[in-house]
Amino acid sequence: MQIREELENLIAASIAAACDDATLELAERPAPALERPRDLSNGDWASTVAMRTAKLAHKNPREIAQIIVDHLPENNMIASVEIAGPGFINIKLTPSAFQSVAARVRAERFDFGKGTLPEGTPRNVNLEYVSANPTGPMHVGHGRWATLGDAIARVMRHAGYQVSEEYYINDHGVQMDVFGNSVSVRYMQLLGHDIEMPEKCYGGGYVKDIAQGIIDRDGNKWESVSDQERIEAFREIAYQEMLDLIRETLTGFGTTFDTWFSERSLYEVDENGTSPVSRSLEIMSEKGYLYDKDGATWFRSTDFGDDKDRVLLKENGEYTYFMSDVAYHYDKMQRGFDHLIDLWGADHHGYIRRCEAMLAAWGYPGALEVVLGQLVNLFRDGEAVRMSKRTGEMVTFAELIDEVGVDATRFLMLSRSSDQPIDFDIEVAKKKDNSNPVYYVQYAHARICSVLRKAAGEGAESLSADELAAKVIPADVDLSVLTHESEIALMRKMDDFGELVALAARDRAPFRLTHYAQELAGLFHQFYTNCHIVGEDPAIQNARLALADATRTVLALTLDLIGVSAPERM
């Protein structure tokens, strides 16, 4: 239980006791919500419950505050209480309250900060992200969605959600035919045919590479077949190659998906002659939300807040792209999810209302949540980077990872909220000093491991950090000596972790963990400077080693929730 929760229970008990002896007369008992004072000289926590209760109790807020203070149960958490201003209850904690945090971290380890969701919160969540078209390699923007989606899933799971991660493969429709034709033209050009690339094409150098790979494998086998046969064959070859490349890039980045959902599967006809697309269209029709106009079939999306109705079936009998989304999201709900989260680029903002409308039409209002992400601006030493040095084309996500590494890429991609653009400087990401935030945080973790090795002495080099901690810190270590300002600051920050995770999960805002990691690392570096550890009196050394080890755990856990490693040596 966090300090905040324990304090709120104490205040709730105080209010209950005051009501029981009629010192307070309340028709309903207020929530004893606490908040951090901006200035810690005013206390560690503050409550406005007295001011919020004034009308209910028909008393002056300061009088109510005094009644609450007078009825506080005996405890070992509160050092002092001050009633300030119009009725603030400012609480200062005892060192033992903070020491319990370090003890809890060491006992719970990677379960520290795990939460339980409030009653009524949708728990079973489908999280769909990246979903880059399999018509080319992933670009840096896709990398931001990969980082963001993976971190959201990790943080939400720690907060108590069940999360299924999904990649939607856009492998149906015109763009796939264009891709196949682009490879076909490059193939024929490489065999000496004077053919120009069509206006609608994929012109990247990777298309030429795919065509050359086909020649290396098959020679001129496809030269004499019809254009249509060649396009269809090359579409499948190129599609599979790009999908494999995407999978390989994401796997190397540490991002995995529970489901890879093919758009094509929505159009597969079963033995009854129906497909997921046709079935979802039929269901919408049965609900009365479709009508025919100008030979096309329309969805009455304006009935659900959209700015205009949307075509699902064109006059020529072809389904629209939106129809695929209709069938896909219906399929998700039929799989038993309570809530759907889609991560989209900000340029898809105008698409949200119609997708919300389709779910509302099926009776799932509010089931879809769309997180929009802004662009990544790539720099090198402050200069904008437009093209890859190697290919002369766009910098792919794989190239960025190869140059700066997974950890730096992840940390910097999460350094700002998803609704803000990111300026990603490649050279900063590669630095091995404190100007690089991920290095700064990882170095704090490695420094703690070094302290544990120093304390362990001979034979320490072969031991892991967990083994070192078990060797040098007594199981019954006494933390009561941890009273220095730097020690208290570290423990106070660690106590914030559980609430941070809960709010980051609720707000889909894992970027907050990068800021928290930097703050915790900074507090450890201060503690390391101000409080000598190895060589102190044994009781003090043991307690400080335990505090350092608790900090190591929270740092490693924070980094793990954003997919970044916690090295033991640097």
Side-chain angles (χ1 to χ4, degrees):
M1 187 181 294
Q2 293 175 310
I3 288 177
R4 178 178 186 160
E5 189 177 351
E6 293 184 61
L7 288 176
E8 288 177 344
N9 289 343
L10 287 173
I11 294 173
S14 172
I15 294 171
C19 290
D20 289 344
D21 68 12
T23 312
L24 281 178
E25 296 182 1
L26 298 172
E28 57 184 81
R29 297 178 184 180
L34 293 170
E35 58 189 44
R36 287 276 195 203
R38 291 184 180 179
D39 184 353
L40 284 178
S41 66
N42 292 327
D44 296 296
W45 288 99
S47 176
T48 59
V49 65
M51 292 177 284
R52 290 184 283 107
T53 309
K55 285 187 178 180
L56 286 171
H58 306 291
K59 291 181 183 291
N60 180 282
R62 287 186 65 92
E63 183 183 353
I64 296 170
Q66 189 61 59
I67 290 171
I68 292 172
V69 170
D70 290 342
H71 284 77
L72 281 170
E74 287 190 17
N75 63 88
N76 60 359
M77 295 185 65
I78 299 175
S80 63
V81 183
E82 178 187 2
I83 299 170
F88 290 101
I89 301 175
N90 292 339
I91 301 170
K92 287 194 174 183
L93 299 176
T94 62
S96 66
F98 294 112
Q99 293 153 9
S100 69
V101 177
R104 194 166 72 248
V105 172
R106 299 198 69 245
E108 296 176 7
R109 310 304 291 176
F110 262 47
D111 286 333
F112 180 68
K114 278 192 172 179
T116 55
L117 299 177
E119 194 67 32
T121 303
R123 298 168 187 272
N124 191 9
V125 175
N126 177 282
L127 175 62
E128 186 231 316
Y129 61 100
V130 182
S131 298
N133 290 349
T135 53
M138 292 177 64
H139 57 62
V140 172
H142 294 140
R144 186 176 190 185
W145 315 147
T147 309
L148 178 63
D150 183 79
I152 287 176
R154 291 167 183 257
V155 172
M156 289 184 71
R157 288 192 185 104
H158 205 74
Y161 294 86
Q162 297 174 11
V163 183
S164 178
E165 296 168 80
E166 185 152 319
Y167 189 112
Y168 181 57
I169 309 169
N170 293 276
D171 53 6
H172 176 83
V174 175
Q175 85 275 2
M176 296 305 300
D177 294 329
V178 171
F179 189 32
N181 188 41
S182 301
V183 177
S184 175
V185 172
R186 287 299 189 206
Y187 175 85
M188 297 299 283
Q189 288 176 343
L190 288 169
L191 291 178
H193 293 266
D194 186 15
I195 306 175
E196 289 190 8
M197 288 294 284
E199 184 177 341
K200 287 186 177 181
C201 69
Y202 291 93
Y206 67 92
V207 176
K208 188 175 180 180
D209 293 340
I210 294 172
Q212 184 62 57
I214 295 173
I215 292 173
D216 293 343
R217 185 179 63 251
D218 297 341
N220 66 349
K221 169 185 173 181
W222 302 98
E223 186 176 15
S224 58
V225 304
S226 69
D227 289 346
Q228 187 60 35
E229 182 180 350
R230 186 187 317 109
I231 290 169
E232 289 178 0
F234 287 6
R235 179 186 62 198
E236 298 310 303
I237 292 170
Y239 156 63
Q240 194 58 56
E241 187 168 328
M242 283 300 103
L243 186 59
D244 289 346
L245 178 61
I246 290 170
R247 288 180 187 268
E248 180 184 337
T249 302
L250 289 169
T251 299
F253 193 59
T255 299
T256 58
F257 292 89
D258 300 290
T259 303
W260 290 76
F261 190 100
S262 168
E263 183 183 359
R264 292 180 179 182
S265 68
L266 297 171
Y267 294 86
E268 292 175 356
V269 178
D270 61 20
E271 64 275 7
N272 298 317
T274 62
S275 66
V277 167
S278 65
R279 283 195 297 273
S280 60
L281 189 69
E282 181 181 348
I283 292 166
M284 293 193 82
S285 178
E286 290 172 354
K287 289 182 173 291
Y289 296 126
L290 301 185
Y291 65 91
D292 294 328
K293 175 185 171 185
D294 300 329
T297 299
W298 296 69
F299 166 44
R300 298 182 189 277
S301 54
T302 50
D303 288 358
F304 303 94
D306 197 4
D307 58 347
K308 63 180 180 180
D309 291 344
R310 305 292 174 176
V311 175
L312 298 180
L313 189 61
K314 300 177 187 177
E315 185 179 359
N316 63 5
E318 292 181 359
Y319 291 114
T320 61
Y321 183 79
F322 178 52
M323 187 63 228
S324 291
D325 278 335
V326 170
Y328 176 46
H329 285 82
Y330 182 70
D331 181 90
K332 286 183 181 181
M333 295 306 296
Q334 294 307 296
R335 282 185 266 152
F337 294 107
D338 303 321
H339 192 64
L340 311 181
I341 303 176
D342 291 357
L343 269 58
W344 296 350
D347 56 334
H348 286 73
H349 180 272
Y351 209 72
I352 296 175
R353 189 68 62 83
R354 72 189 73 174
C355 290
E356 291 175 335
M358 68 187 177
L359 283 163
W362 286 318
Y364 306 121
L368 175 64
E369 174 188 348
V370 176
V371 177
L372 293 176
Q374 293 291 341
L375 299 174
V376 179
N377 302 310
L378 210 55
F379 292 86
R380 190 182 295 276
D381 273 338
E383 296 291 327
V385 176
R386 304 295 182 197
M387 299 295 177
S388 164
K389 288 183 177 180
R390 183 177 65 82
T391 65
E393 298 174 349
M394 75 167 189
V395 178
T396 67
F397 184 45
E399 287 175 316
L400 180 65
I401 298 169
D402 286 344
E403 184 164 359
V404 306
V406 170
D407 287 344
T409 300
R410 279 181 173 270
F411 200 98
L412 294 178
M413 286 287 189
L414 287 172
S415 61
R416 305 189 73 177
S417 171
S418 61
D419 60 4
Q420 297 178 316
I422 286 181
D423 292 340
F424 190 111
D425 195 303
I426 293 171
E427 295 306 318
V428 169
K430 291 160 61 176
K431 286 183 177 178
K432 304 297 182 184
D433 60 37
N434 289 342
S435 67
N436 180 352
V438 67
Y439 180 89
Y440 180 73
V441 174
Q442 289 180 319
Y443 179 67
H445 184 273
R447 172 177 263 184
I448 295 170
C449 296
S450 175
V451 170
L452 293 172
R453 284 193 294 273
K454 182 178 179 182
E458 187 176 347
E461 291 303 316
S462 62
L463 300 178
S464 69
D466 287 341
E467 291 169 331
L468 289 168
K471 179 178 180 180
V472 301
I473 303 170
D476 59 349
V477 60
D478 179 11
L479 302 180
S480 64
V481 296
L482 299 175
T483 57
H484 189 280
E485 181 180 346
S486 295
E487 297 165 339
I488 297 293
L490 256 184
M491 293 182 285
R492 180 187 290 115
K493 178 58 66 174
M494 284 190 280
D495 186 55
D496 291 342
F497 181 75
E499 184 174 9
L500 170 77
V501 170
L503 294 177
R506 183 198 69 185
D507 300 336
R508 326 305 186 213
F511 78 95
R512 294 173 186 166
L513 275 78
T514 63
H515 299 179
Y516 176 84
Q518 292 175 79
E519 292 165 4
L520 185 62
L523 289 171
F524 175 77
H525 291 312
Q526 290 176 24
F527 159 73
Y528 185 81
T529 299
N530 297 332
C531 300
H532 192 243
I533 303 176
V534 179
E536 282 286 346
D537 173 84
I540 294 176
Q541 173 176 307
N542 290 340
R544 286 178 175 170
L545 284 171
L547 177 57
D549 186 55
T551 306
R552 175 182 71 87
T553 295
V554 179
L555 278 173
L557 179 53
T558 305
L559 290 173
D560 183 68
L561 290 181
I562 57 175
V564 175
S565 70
E568 297 187 1
R569 290 177 173 81
M570 289 180 71

